[in-house]
Amino acid sequence: MKRLKDSVGKIGSPTCPDCRVAMRWFRSELVRDNPAPMIAHLFVCPNCKRAQRQDTDFAPAVVPPDKLASPRFQIIDGGKHAT
């Protein structure tokens, strides 16, 4: 999630072609996963509500299986840890 927020900060907000004011970020979504991941950022003008999309490519983070997060909860059956 942090990488997604950072990608918005790198591109900056566009200027509305009608009102000439900075547009506000509305949402971001993964548009394409293969062959290269692409995120679409949608910005909306606070005055005229015009929307504009900016696409960014990014390199996915590769996490080795031994570094994945462990489960937060453990199942306990009859007061003993389940095996």
Side-chain angles (χ1 to χ4, degrees):
M1 189 64 152
K2 183 177 182 334
R3 294 181 66 211
L4 181 62
K5 289 179 183 178
D6 290 344
S7 68
V8 173
K10 289 179 185 176
I11 61 171
S13 61
T15 303
C16 178
D18 294 334
C19 304
R20 306 282 188 240
V21 297
M23 299 176 96
R24 293 184 184 162
W25 175 84
F26 179 67
R27 74 175 183 200
S28 298
E29 60 186 33
L30 181 65
V31 176
R32 182 181 66 209
D33 196 22
N34 287 324
M38 180 188 301
I39 296 178
H41 304 284
L42 185 64
F43 293 88
V44 177
C45 177
N47 293 333
C48 67
K49 307 302 182 210
R50 181 182 183 134
Q52 184 173 344
R53 176 179 153 172
Q54 288 187 350
D55 296 335
T56 58
D57 294 329
F58 72 98
V62 178
V63 180
D66 60 336
K67 299 293 182 183
L68 295 176
S70 63
R72 291 185 181 188
F73 303 105
Q74 294 180 352
I75 298 172
I76 300 175
D77 185 24
K80 296 182 181 179
H81 288 288
T83 57

